[in-house]
Amino acid sequence: MLQQTTRQCVSEHCLDILFREARTYYGWLPKAVSDAQLRELYELARMPPTSSNISPQRIVFVVSQEAKERLRPGLKPGNVDKTMAAPVTAILGIDSRFFDHLERLAPHAVDKRAGYLSDPDLAARAAFRNATLQGAYLLMAARALGLDCGPMSGVLHDVVDAEFFPGGEVRSNFLINIGHGDPASVRPRAARFDFDDICQIL
């Protein structure tokens, strides 16, 4: 049973790491990311919620030079150099058959499987929404562990899928380059909307 505790905010330093000072990196320092770090990263990123715990994200961590060369043809030209230089590239996929795992992940929601099977559009929207949410969790977990990230969607999805997800049930969503970022590669921070520009309190 979960113990009731007083909720506390994380420190200002943590908020800086996760949000205020966090940046997208386009270049990387020659410092490796270990398999143990990737496992620690996943252990954190798997914990936040998805709808009924469906967890549709699938991940391929591209680390070896051989795997990088397999990925190269699926990258758009502007993304090749920074991706080849990254210690790790996470290919984030979406499992279209996520509902086959409801008995294990969501025994309270196994009855939803029939609905997903009968409504492919509903299933596709649930898979995309929740896998993308999980991608954001992975990015934040990486930052929390002292790693830097370069998320990107500039990929040739058919090429990546044929190489890394050949079964057809999983399709690529986006990539995240992960490592220790080169500060010289950071661009000036672009503008953000102010609260009153886009928010309402009703």
Side-chain angles (χ1 to χ4, degrees), residues 24-90:
T24 295
Y25 283 81
Y26 301 92
W28 305 94
L29 300 176
K31 185 176 178 181
V33 176
S34 69
D35 290 359
Q37 285 176 294
L38 294 178
R39 289 181 177 275
E40 184 181 13
L41 170 58
Y42 175 71
E43 287 300 315
L44 276 182
R46 71 176 184 152
M47 298 309 294
T50 54
S51 299
S52 297
N53 199 40
I54 61 174
S55 304
Q57 179 173 258
R58 305 293 178 261
I59 308 170
V60 175
F61 289 111
V62 176
V63 178
S64 69
Q65 191 59 44
E66 178 188 3
K68 288 175 180 287
E69 293 303 326
R70 291 171 56 198
L71 178 60
R72 184 191 292 268
L75 300 170
K76 292 188 177 179
N79 291 327
V80 172
D81 290 345
K82 61 189 174 186
T83 302
M84 291 297 104
V88 179
T89 299

Side-chain angles (χ1 to χ4, degrees), residues 77-159:
N79 291 327
V80 172
D81 290 345
K82 61 189 174 186
T83 302
M84 291 297 104
V88 179
T89 299
I91 305 173
L92 307 185
I94 305 172
D95 186 354
S96 63
R97 299 285 302 187
F98 67 88
F99 43 77
D100 288 340
H101 304 281
L102 291 177
E103 186 172 351
R104 174 183 177 184
L105 299 178
H108 61 284
V110 291
D111 58 325
K112 292 186 176 182
R113 185 176 187 276
Y116 287 130
L117 281 169
S118 64
D119 189 343
D121 182 61
L122 174 67
R125 284 187 283 110
F128 176 75
R129 179 174 59 251
N130 285 279
T132 302
L133 186 63
Q134 288 185 284
Y137 294 151
L138 188 77
L139 189 152
M140 299 304 291
R143 289 175 173 176
L145 292 173
L147 298 168
D148 297 310
C149 298
M152 61 185 184
S153 56
V155 300
L156 304 174
H157 290 279
D158 290 346
V159 175

